[in-house]
Every structure is written in C-alpha cells, then in structure tokens.
Amino acid sequence: MSPIITYIIGSLGLIIKPGPDLLCTISTALSHGRKRALCLMLGLILGCWTWIILLSLGVAAFLKTHTVVMTIIRYGGMAYIGYLAYGSLVEAYHGFKHHEGFVLSSPNERGLRLLLRGILMAMGNPLTIMFFLAFLPHFTTPGSRLPPSLQIFLLGTLFCSLVPFISVPIIFTAGAFKNALEKKPRFAPSVKLFSGLLLVLVVILLAIA
C-alpha cells in the first residue's frame, strides 16, 4: 500500500474518532441546526489549516521549547468551551421549566459568529497541535525534492480537506434528529442538555490530554 493511501486511511480514522472538534460539531448541529453546524465545521477546518501553516513555517520548534504557551492555549480553550457548555446547560434548565415555546436555535448564533467560533476552538485545542506534531512528520519523505516544511503543509492541507467527508454526514444526521424533536417541545430541552453535556465532555478530554 502506498504511503499516501496509508496516510488517507489513517487520517479518516483519526477524524471519525470522537474528539473535541467532532463533539463540538455534533453539539452545534443538535442545538442550532445543520447550516450553523456547517459554518462551525468550516471554522474548525480553517483553524486547523492555520496551525498547519504555522507549523510549516517553523512554529513547531517554538512550541516544543515554550511549554507555557501550550499550557495557555490549553486552559484558554477549556475555559471557552466550558463557557459554551454552561450556556447550553442553563438554556436546557429553563427549557425544562418552560418547555412551551422553547426553541433550540438561537437567533444570535449567526453563521459568521459560528465560523469565528470554530476557528477559535481549533486554535485553542492543544490536541490539534500535538496531533499534527506527532502524526505529520511520519509521512514526510527524506531526500524528496520538496522541503519538509512544504511536505508538512501539503499533508496537513490534505487532512483538512478530508474532514467534510466525515463531518457532513454526521451533521445532517444530527440536524435531522433536531428537526424531529423540535416538533415535540417537551423533549426539545433534552437536546440542549445533551448538547451541553457533549461540550462538558470536550472540556474533560482537553483536561486529561
């Protein structure tokens, strides 16, 4: 099997593994619907791609020698996602108390806002950085006409381009589930609760990483 096929298979396996990015995407699809989840997914991809660009420019060496930066990124990401989790759980609480007229989608969650949120989440997720640092160098080719930095950039870009093949079907499935429950106001707050618990799980994953 060629190295590139091995890389693609490995990348798809890692993308489909329930990690912080995928859990946040599912949470958004459940709370706000497919279109807004797609905006978040695009932001996550752009955030990951930004890290790819930075790593290909030599930021990897800086991060390895300045662990305090990684610590700041880690706790900053945890705090932000924890804030989002708290908001979802509070909405679920009020939904259970007053389920009549309760709606899952928030009119304040605009597409651009979710796009920026996705970028911020990806940039603040240390698991993303550590993954690229550990995974990509294994597939670079010593002695290639392409410098290692360019190989890292191309491999990372390929990884980012594979994300929609996994995320989009999951988003549409979660969105369909949300639409079905919106017709039953009594159960709608449960979706918001589940969405908040998913975000809590993301914080736990970041904490134990």
Side-chain angles (χ1 to χ4, degrees), residues 85-97:
Y86 172 78
S88 290
L89 294 175
V90 168
E91 288 183 47
Y93 171 76
H94 290 299
F96 282 119
K97 288 186 66 176

Side-chain angles (χ1 to χ4, degrees), residues 90-109:
V90 168
E91 288 183 47
Y93 171 76
H94 290 299
F96 282 119
K97 288 186 66 176
H98 311 286
H99 61 262
E100 295 296 334
F102 177 79
V103 294
L104 289 171
S105 299
S106 169
N108 295 323
E109 293 295 331

Side-chain angles (χ1 to χ4, degrees), residues 2-3 30 63 80 90 98 108 112 116 134-135 150 160 174 177-178 190 199 205:
S2 68
L30 290 172
L63 293 176
Y80 180 63
V90 168
H98 311 286
N108 295 323
L112 179 59
L116 295 174
F135 186 64
L150 182 55
C160 293
F177 183 68
K178 168 190 175 293
S190 299
L199 293 176
L205 288 174

Side-chain angles (χ1 to χ4, degrees), residues 43-198:
L44 288 168
I45 292 173
L46 290 174
C48 287
W49 196 53
T50 301
W51 272 123
I52 291 296
I53 294 172
L54 292 175
L55 293 177
S56 67
L57 293 175
V59 175
F62 174 82
L63 293 176
K64 288 179 179 179
T65 56
H66 293 76
T67 55
V68 66
V69 177
M70 291 289 289
T71 301
I72 292 172
I73 292 173
R74 177 182 182 181
Y75 286 104
M78 288 170 56
Y80 180 63
I81 297 175
Y83 165 75
L84 297 177
Y86 172 78
S88 290
L89 294 175
V90 168
E91 288 183 47
Y93 171 76
H94 290 299
F96 282 119
K97 288 186 66 176
H98 311 286
H99 61 262
E100 295 296 334
F102 177 79
V103 294
L104 289 171
S105 299
S106 169
N108 295 323
E109 293 295 331
R110 304 296 183 186
L112 179 59
R113 182 175 178 179
L114 284 162
L115 178 72
L116 295 174
R117 175 182 293 180
I119 295 173
L120 183 60
M121 283 181 171
M123 294 296 293
N125 182 1
L127 296 178
T128 302
I129 311 164
M130 290 186 288
F131 160 71
F132 286 134
L133 286 174
F135 186 64
L136 296 182
H138 288 291
F139 293 92
T140 57
T141 305
S144 170
R145 290 180 298 176
L146 299 177
S149 59
L150 182 55
Q151 292 184 58
I152 291 290
F153 173 77
L154 294 175
L155 287 169
T157 300
L158 175 58
F159 179 90
C160 293
S161 69
L162 293 172
V163 171
F165 291 97
I166 301 298
S167 296
V168 169
I170 293 174
I171 286 171
F172 273 77
T173 300
F177 183 68
K178 168 190 175 293
N179 292 338
L181 284 186
E182 273 193 326
K183 299 175 183 178
K184 302 176 181 179
R186 182 174 299 178
F187 299 103
S190 299
V191 180
K192 183 66 73 172
L193 174 63
F194 183 65
S195 174
L197 292 176
L198 282 178

